[in-house]
Amino acid sequence: MNPAKFFQRLLQLAPVLLGVSFIAFMMLAMTPGDPVALIIGEHAATPEQIETLRRDLGLNQPLLQRFASFLADAVTGNFGTSFYHRRPVAEVIGERLPATIELSLVALIVALVTSIPLGVLAAIRKNTIFDRIATLFSLVGVSMPGFWLGILLIMIFAVNLQLFPVAGRIGFSHEVDPITGFMLIDTLLHRNFAAFGETLRYIALPAVTLGLPMAAILMRVTRTSMLEVLQQDYVTFANAKGLKPRRIFFRHALKNALIPTVSVAAIETGSLLGGNMIVETIFGWPGLGRLVVESIFVRNYPLVQAAVLLYAVTYVLLNFIADILYTLLNPRVKL
Amino acid sequence: MGTFKHLMLASMIALGSAISPTFAQDLIIGFSKEGETLDPANHRNRETETLLRNVYEGLLTRDASMKLVPEIAESYEQVSPTIYDFRIRKGIRFHDGSDLTAEDVRFTFERILKEGAMGDGQTSPRQGLLGPVTGVELVDANTVRFNLSEPWPILPAMLPNQQIVSKAFVEKNGTAGMATQAMGSGPFSLGEWRRGEALILNRFDDYFGGSPEVPPVGRACVDRAIFRTIPETASRVAALLSGDVHIINELPNSSIRQIQASGVADVVEVNGTRSFFLAMNMQGEIFDDIRVRQAAAHAVNKDLLIDKILGGSAARIEGILSPDAFGASELPQVGYDVEKARALLAEAGYPDGIDITLDAEGAYRDMAEAIASMLTRAGFRTSVAISETTMLTQKWRTAGGPKSGDMWLSSWGNGSLDPFDIFAPTHATNDRGNSAGYSNPELDKLLAAAAIEMDAGKRAEMYHRAEMTIVADQPYVYLWVPRDIYGVSKRVEGFHPSADSRILLHDVCLK
């Protein structure tokens, strides 16, 4: 890969992020609802007290000036103070981000581990009963709303079978000092295997709920692209050469068939990070998605603003990573 | 396939062995919201207050019947209409073992009252909750004096909501530190705050026992009290049924039967403090006619709605006040009478009925649709418009500014159970919660006088007259005060929820 091209692509990200920040800022500012009125609620407050609160939250300045100071602060890593938590936004988001990333990654693993083998097998055994069942699975997975699947899993596995807990990240009999913030890694670093097992138990249902719809999509993509690749001349040639089918499928076909899967997986991972608010709410998962949605409802501008920026960075970076993976998987594609 | 089965079995066993028993004495509450901060002076949020009141305590508190009783104060007296003295109880300790003194009390209130006292030029968002209190000073080593700029009879009623902090602790940690650390004098001390997930509290063994007027007095029963954040209602119910948690708040009416039939948990209710009503836009052409407003009031069958939609868990109201509020009195009932409603509407010039829109927020969609169908039957062809709370508030609570809209299914909270912070806000001319746009100068005068009347008997009588006035003018269709509903495991003993949404855990035990 050409390093100059790499940095050029990286630099192109800057205007995208600036644009996203500006649009998000303006949309928040234009949404009806005054944060100050919301904080005061139904209680009495004199006009002076209201003005004091407005000043304390930094809302007494003109809009563009507020945006300018947001940008100036943001480049130094200061995203302001959360209106409700009364702590730096970076701190509040930082506390929640690892839980969201951990859940997303485990969900991604769930999705990849189920979808790729299923997709490949469905393609190889096209039009068999296995293919039909796999296709049915993918159809159900894509159409099932996350909140319904989540509640269903809770009713079966938590309430009836009592195998898994309903909500949270770990039980209260364990104390795990955070090192990385990722509970599965931290428990292993502490060599606390009981806590590791418990963490797995807590993450299982939310990860499956989040991962299954993605698995369904990835399975379909893998199946279709595998089918396409299997029609290619080089596969026919490999067959004619007398290579073993296993070698053809896994060594020659799969690598090319995975290109669309990788690209869809990267985009889907972006939406996992931003779109898992429902799953986080159902399973009481202390992640960022829930925090952001709650913050939108109460017009917690600084937190929403920072989170939107974070989502944009993640999304843009994941797309970038997908592009790089393309070039690695298929040298004919250049950045 | 055999290998797969073995693998499955092995992982099941591994997971099973990871299930470690919860502490026998862990009381776990499935709570709908997370606390915003641990600093009792730096928020305006009821749920945050609910959590913090197990760690911190106030000068006064309330017993289960909502009567005000001393807590950190031993006694109090009103020296003059604008001066109150509180004697601080001796022998109360903070969680670090230090004594709670009158100076800590003075410091607590100064931190809330004084401009910029929170540090960094910031003022406590709770300043407004102390109304006309101008300052707090020490009279002697054990007595704290509140000075007011004008008479304010509800000062005692507002004090359970302000928690006493340790001056030394605040000075050591600063306001930034107070957001994530807590050290009060309550029955539980802070164990660990897992942000977004749980607040773990440990029993405080040197607890002074709590208000002698709220028995049992003594240290807490359980070793730990844990608030697990579960925002989704269905998951909270599931967690109670699966035994993951022992108490849940905000149990929906639709789950009452499921809980009762489960055999593992019961339903516990307590009168709430939030009055629901239909605001009718009196600035608009339709509802400026009293006959139209009366027609709407006769069109709504409150008893049926309470029975069928609220599962019977609400107290019907005819005026704005909850039956438990100070000054609440027997009022004439506006009966359900469709014919009368139609006749009144015809008399007002709408013999063929009229089209109106009922605004409501998403959480009350079912209720709004039921009300709309009742109104429609009486001649108000009602369509329901669902919108976000914030937007509806901005549209309707215009404090005298122009407003659009016909009718709004709304509510107003009254945590103090004193008419002061519900009656005037919703009914005084141009006041902040007067969503009907109602104006009656006579009533304004009466409410202003009642707010500072020091004779309780006279004051109650004034509020009765005020209630009779609004029943006659009918700016709102007064509906009900819903009960707060909790799901409680059968293993729990001694849980008595309070109408001001305090979840006091110090006398709750687990079987």
Side-chain angles (χ1 to χ4, degrees):
Chain A
M1 192 190 315
N2 182 345
K5 282 250 168 92
F6 178 86
F7 286 111
Q8 199 184 337
R9 273 295 302 268
L10 210 57
L11 274 180
Q12 284 170 4
L13 306 183
V16 173
L17 297 180
L18 187 68
V20 168
S21 303
F22 185 72
I23 293 171
F25 189 89
M26 285 303 160
M27 280 174 72
L28 275 174
M30 285 188 298
T31 313
D34 176 13
V36 175
L38 276 170
I39 290 174
I40 287 174
E42 296 172 350
H43 295 289
T46 61
E48 297 78 45
Q49 286 164 347
I50 292 173
E51 213 31 59
T52 304
L53 186 57
R54 196 173 295 283
R55 188 199 63 214
D56 284 357
L57 300 181
L59 290 170
N60 55 343
Q61 293 164 350
L63 201 57
L64 285 178
Q65 196 179 329
R66 265 164 50 202
F67 182 65
S69 46
F70 164 77
L71 276 189
D73 288 345
V75 288
T76 66
N78 173 8
F79 293 93
T81 304
S82 163
F83 290 171
Y84 287 84
H85 305 87
R86 298 286 179 135
R87 287 189 288 135
V89 163
E91 187 182 314
V92 178
I93 290 184
E95 290 163 1
R96 302 293 193 91
L97 192 58
T100 290
I101 296 179
E102 185 169 45
L103 177 59
S104 301
L105 288 181
V106 176
L108 179 68
I109 292 170
V110 168
L112 291 176
V113 164
T114 48
S115 65
I116 294 180
L118 280 180
V120 170
L121 283 175
I124 295 174
R125 303 188 182 167
K126 196 177 125 192
N127 292 335
T128 62
I129 182 82
F130 178 83
D131 182 24
R132 299 225 167 91
I133 292 173
T135 309
L136 184 73
F137 156 81
S138 105
L139 190 70
V140 171
V142 170
S143 5
M144 195 141 49
F147 67 89
W148 191 78
L149 177 63
I151 298 284
L152 189 74
L153 291 178
I154 285 178
M155 288 321 286
I156 297 173
F157 293 102
V159 178
N160 289 327
L161 299 176
Q162 308 220 333
L163 282 174
F164 297 98
V166 174
R169 230 178 147 193
I170 191 169
F172 298 116
S173 46
H174 296 283
E175 261 183 56
V176 181
D177 283 330
I179 301 171
T180 62
F182 299 101
M183 203 64 96
L184 286 168
I185 297 176
D186 289 352
T187 48
L188 285 180
L189 290 176
H190 286 296
R191 296 180 181 281
N192 188 344
F193 299 109
F196 177 76
E198 172 130 319
T199 309
L200 273 184
R201 230 163 55 80
Y202 273 82
I203 206 170
L205 295 186
V208 168
T209 308
L210 197 58
L212 270 192
M214 182 170 170
I217 296 171
L218 291 182
M219 194 223 107
R220 290 169 77 137
V221 173
T222 310
R223 179 181 176 275
T224 315
S225 100
M226 189 73 180
L227 279 176
E228 244 170 59
V229 170
L230 289 178
Q231 317 260 318
Q232 302 281 321
D233 292 344
Y234 72 90
V235 174
T236 319
F237 180 70
N239 262 319
K241 256 192 353 184
L243 290 180
K244 283 185 182 156
R246 180 175 295 217
R247 194 178 159 83
I248 298 174
F249 292 142
F250 294 105
R251 189 165 169 96
H252 296 282
L254 186 59
K255 199 174 155 194
N256 286 322
L258 280 185
I259 293 175
T261 311
V262 166
S263 118
V264 173
I267 293 169
E268 285 285 314
T269 307
S271 50
L272 275 189
L273 284 176
N276 55 13
M277 171 263 163
I278 292 173
V279 174
E280 288 184 354
T281 304
I282 294 173
F283 292 98
W285 192 261
L288 188 59
R290 205 178 87 203
L291 179 73
V292 172
V293 174
E294 284 164 5
S295 299
I296 292 172
F297 283 132
V298 295
R299 307 289 186 265
N300 192 351
Y301 294 160
L303 201 147
V304 178
Q305 182 71 29
V308 168
L309 197 61
L310 179 73
Y311 287 144
V313 170
T314 315
Y315 216 77
V316 166
L317 279 183
L318 282 172
N319 272 297
F320 187 52
I321 290 170
D323 289 351
I324 293 173
L325 283 179
Y326 264 10
T327 62
L328 296 181
L329 280 170
N330 186 350
R332 282 177 303 174
V333 180
K334 291 227 166 64
L335 267 185
Chain B
M1 205 58 196
T3 328
F4 179 71
K5 259 190 190 161
H6 282 127
L7 261 176
M8 281 294 286
L9 204 66
S11 38
M12 294 287 248
I13 292 168
L15 286 173
S17 65
I19 307 173
S20 23
T22 352
F23 284 46
Q25 292 302 330
D26 271 359
L27 174 70
I28 307 176
I29 295 93
F31 199 60
S32 54
K33 286 208 178 78
E34 190 198 24
E36 291 170 355
T37 168
L38 297 185
D39 187 344
N42 214 359
H43 71 90
R44 291 281 289 240
N45 177 261
R46 190 161 162 137
E47 283 84 4
T48 304
E49 194 177 292
T50 300
L51 299 171
L52 288 180
R53 284 179 76 180
N54 280 292
V55 178
Y56 290 99
E57 299 199 307
L59 280 179
L60 308 179
T61 188
R62 291 176 188 274
D63 65 11
S65 67
M66 291 300 282
K67 189 180 136 210
L68 279 169
V69 293
E71 192 165 49
I72 284 176
E74 192 174 54
S75 61
Y76 67 97
E77 96 178 280
Q78 186 174 11
V79 181
S80 78
T82 55
I83 295 177
Y84 289 78
D85 281 355
F86 291 82
R87 266 197 95 66
I88 306 306
R89 199 182 294 278
K90 284 186 190 154
I92 300 182
R93 283 176 186 211
F94 284 115
H95 299 148
D96 66 354
S98 62
D99 288 325
L100 186 153
T101 65
E103 173 58 16
D104 291 309
V105 176
R106 189 201 63 78
F107 173 82
T108 297
F109 286 97
E110 184 188 79
R111 187 164 176 254
I112 296 168
L113 287 167
K114 212 168 132 190
E115 289 285 324
M118 300 292 287
D120 286 338
Q122 305 260 311
T123 304
S124 168
R126 296 179 84 74
Q127 189 194 44
L129 301 179
L130 288 170
V133 177
T134 51
V136 178
E137 57 181 341
L138 291 183
V139 177
D140 60 47
N142 281 314
T143 311
V144 178
R145 170 165 293 176
F146 282 65
N147 295 307
L148 283 64
S149 61
E150 60 182 11
W152 199 49
I154 70 158
L155 173 69
M158 297 301 280
L159 287 178
N161 308 99
Q162 306 288 3
Q163 284 83 46
I164 307 302
V165 295
S166 150
K167 181 181 178 186
F169 188 74
V170 176
E171 286 180 344
K172 185 172 144 230
N173 294 290
T175 289
M178 290 295 287
T180 53
Q181 297 168 72
M183 211 277 294
S185 59
F188 294 93
S189 63
L190 176 65
E192 186 191 353
W193 185 17
R194 297 181 183 169
R195 312 289 150 72
E197 188 182 1
L199 183 69
I200 303 175
L201 307 176
N202 299 324
R203 181 176 57 214
F204 175 43
D205 287 330
D206 280 340
Y207 181 50
F208 79 100
S211 172
E213 298 184 48
V214 189
V217 173
R219 59 177 210 168
C221 187
V222 293
D223 292 326
R224 298 199 294 179
I226 300 170
F227 287 88
R228 156 97 67 205
T229 313
I230 313 180
E232 166 58 39
T233 309
S235 308
R236 245 181 358 264
V237 172
L240 178 69
L241 293 177
S242 72
D244 284 6
V245 304
H246 305 114
I247 298 174
I248 60 170
N249 73 330
E250 290 187 21
L251 182 75
N253 303 98
S254 52
S255 297
I256 291 180
R257 281 209 192 117
Q258 185 189 8
I259 298 288
Q260 283 167 338
S262 70
V264 298
D266 293 316
V267 174
V268 176
E269 295 183 10
V270 64
N271 284 343
T273 55
R274 179 164 286 274
S275 296
F276 278 73
F277 42 78
L278 296 173
M280 294 173 276
N281 183 0
M282 292 175 64
Q283 293 173 2
E285 278 176 17
I286 305 170
F287 288 110
D288 66 346
D289 187 330
I290 180 149
R291 291 168 297 190
V292 182
R293 299 198 298 276
Q294 284 169 338
H298 283 298
V300 179
N301 187 345
K302 293 190 249 187
D303 293 334
L304 187 68
L305 293 168
I306 291 174
D307 186 40
K308 296 295 174 203
I309 298 190
L310 298 176
S313 298
R316 180 185 161 134
I317 50 175
E318 305 305 324
I320 189 69
L321 296 181
S322 145
D324 291 340
F326 173 86
S329 53
E330 198 71 32
L331 298 172
Q333 287 205 354
V334 183
Y336 168 61
D337 189 339
V338 179
E339 287 315 312
K340 195 166 178 186
R342 282 184 170 280
L344 280 163
L345 209 50
E347 203 181 303
Y350 305 106
D352 302 324
I354 187 167
D355 293 307
I356 63 163
T357 303
L358 170 60
D359 284 329
E361 53 191 282
Y364 303 118
R365 179 191 288 272
D366 291 355
M367 182 59 80
E369 278 169 359
I371 291 174
S373 76
M374 289 177 173
L375 287 167
T376 302
R377 196 175 302 165
F380 295 92
R381 287 180 299 273
T382 311
S383 54
V384 174
I386 298 295
S387 189
E388 198 198 9
T389 316
T390 317
M391 303 184 52
L392 287 173
T393 310
Q394 189 155 322
K395 176 177 173 183
W396 281 89
R397 292 188 185 149
T398 55
K403 69 181 92 207
S404 56
D406 301 324
M407 193 184 256
W408 180 28
L409 171 56
S410 179
S411 68
W412 195 267
N414 187 213
S416 69
L417 281 179
D418 188 284
F420 176 83
D421 62 356
I422 185 166
F423 216 133
T426 51
H427 289 79
T429 304
N430 296 345
D431 215 317
R432 62 190 190 279
N434 190 342
S435 40
Y438 170 59
S439 173
N440 180 339
E442 287 297 311
L443 182 75
D444 291 349
K445 268 188 228 150
L446 184 58
L447 290 175
I452 54 169
E453 173 58 55
M454 304 306 292
D455 181 307
K458 270 192 205 159
R459 190 162 175 258
E461 194 275 326
M462 290 162 101
Y463 279 118
H464 172 68
R465 267 195 287 148
E467 289 256 77
M468 292 302 284
T469 309
I470 60 170
V471 170
D473 289 349
Q474 204 76 52
Y476 300 88
V477 179
Y478 304 98
L479 299 171
W480 47 70
V481 176
R483 293 204 181 92
D484 294 338
I485 315 174
Y486 297 83
V488 182
S489 158
K490 286 193 189 291
R491 287 184 59 205
V492 170
E493 281 176 339
F495 173 63
H496 305 290
S498 150
D500 65 349
S501 74
R502 182 178 195 183
I503 299 184
L504 183 61
L505 296 175
H506 111 270
D507 39 10
V508 179
C509 301
L510 277 180
K511 280 190 273 201

